[in-house]
Amino acid sequence: MGPTKILLEEREIPRQWYNIQADLPKPLPPYYHPGTLQPLGPADLAPLFPTELIKQEVSQERFVDIPEEVQEVYRLWRPTPLFRARRLEKALDTPAKIFYKYEGTSPAGSHKLNTAAAQAYYNKREGVRRLTTETGAGQWGSALAIACKFFGLECTVYMVKVSYQQKPYRRSLMQAFGATVHASPTDLTNAGRSILAEHPDSPGSLGIAISEAVEDAATHDDARYSLGSVLNHVLMHQTVIGLEAKAQMAKVDAYPDVVIACCGGGSNLGGISHPFLADKLTGKQPKLRVVAVEPAACPTLTKGKYLYDFGDSVGLGPVARMYTLGHTFVPAGIHAGGLRYHGDSPIVSLLYDEGIIEAIAYHQNPVFAAAIQFAATEAIVPAPESAHAIKAAIDEALRCREAGEAKTILFNLSGHGNFDMAAYDDYLKGKLTDTEYSSEEVEKALAHLPKLA
Ligand SMILES: Cc1ncc(COP(=O)(O)O)c(C=O)c1O
């Protein structure tokens, strides 16, 4: 029997990120300015991001060097382990081979620190004093709080109100690393005040929290904004996941037939899948499948439209062509807070529109059932977001059982759920509801998209 844990040495941590833009079948559509609705130039992004990240956003270089200072931080927890889920395979009685890459070993508990470290480093190098950001699940806010502490930056986090209430200890964790945390919408920004004026009981959303964080950065010279997902440079930073997983699978002579990840803004999906998709896009692995898994309460890829929309709820951030449910759509307060985003990464959107990747949506009760089944065999309680990928991997393995096929399945376990026990409590007490997204609300939100000339 081969190993259960497939490990790399510290010296095998990737030294470069992989940039899928070099291999896309067509260029990404440009960004547009939220005010003028004209194509966006680097100068328009300067109030929000440091120059190096703006360059990375549009870079066509296939590989980009990881700075030594960022590698030094990565060495705290990378390389992360790749597991063969033998006990889960046995419980499912499937001939499929199930592998999972575990990003929950990072100090923040998820993959998010891979890009937080890089973003904090570039901002510090360019003289920024403070970073502002949003957080849904609290995973991204924790990651940025840690990264800011490492690189000597202040950190202001706008945390979606429903998550702020559901996850008080994520807030404490961010505060322990010195971050200032606000429940969004707040009355501290014009964006927050405008939402509260219309919806005083708003549970908040990632789109609203992004608007607040963007406004805060844009109105303070010494502050910049940091986004935990969606943008091209964020997905690129996450490719350390897939690059390591590829090397780990090679060690046991394995290659996935299907790569699965949950998809909020698309960063862990991009991170695990892009290094494998490189083989599909260059013709080496034409049959490789990649599956994005999203919540049925916020089904951006499976029910949204591929159109130009604002990345935030109020319309302050860049306009991107992406799958969207409409920037004013506020998804139900499901427990996978990190998947409650109206839009999606432009790269993931293009790959989906071109039929290169697939997508599937699940309700939260079956997702939590899969999480419990996984924990019972593999002993890790997953983040509710990551549990979406587990549900899809289990379903794929069960289809293999029916068909008698020994496929190789790889999924990304993007984070642990140790701060999500209130959600598990609700699930175990039968208190979780499976909220259908409202197609009426989506139609209404889609009527408010920006009209480009
Ligand atoms: C553990 C975890 N997985 C996945 C996600 C979804 O984000 P993304 O699609 O950018 O990977 C989040 C977002 O907060 C998260 O915390």
Side-chain angles (χ1 to χ4, degrees), residues 372-403:
I372 294 282
Q373 191 175 13
F374 178 78
T377 50
E378 299 294 317
I380 296 170
V381 176
E385 290 82 5
S386 321
H388 286 71
I390 295 175
K391 168 69 180 151
I394 289 178
D395 281 0
E396 188 72 33
L398 293 176
R399 275 193 294 274
C400 285
R401 182 172 74 189
E402 298 311 312

Side-chain angles (χ1 to χ4, degrees), residues 110-112 137 139 229 262-268 338-339 383 385-386 414-415:
S110 80
H111 65 297
K112 298 281 180 180
Q139 290 267 21
S229 187
C262 68
C263 186
S267 75
N268 89 95
L339 305 183
E385 290 82 5
S386 321
S414 53

Side-chain angles (χ1 to χ4, degrees), residues 46-125:
L48 296 183
F49 304 108
T51 312
E52 193 56 37
L53 293 178
I54 297 172
K55 278 196 209 148
Q56 289 183 3
E57 190 61 18
V58 292
S59 167
Q60 301 297 312
E61 294 289 314
R62 185 166 281 108
F63 290 98
V64 172
D65 288 344
I66 304 175
E68 173 49 36
E69 292 84 344
V70 177
Q71 288 189 45
E72 199 249 326
V73 172
Y74 282 176
R75 285 198 280 273
L76 285 172
W77 74 99
R78 302 212 72 83
T80 60
L82 179 81
F83 288 91
R84 171 88 185 268
R86 293 185 187 280
R87 294 167 54 80
L88 178 65
E89 287 170 20
K90 201 164 162 207
L92 297 173
D93 191 22
T94 176
K97 298 187 189 76
I98 307 175
F99 292 87
Y100 63 94
K101 179 75 167 157
Y102 185 38
E103 288 294 304
T105 57
S106 102
S110 80
H111 65 297
K112 298 281 180 180
L113 197 52
N114 296 327
T115 183
Q119 294 190 43
Y121 165 74
Y122 289 119
N123 275 284
K124 180 68 180 182
R125 205 179 65 177

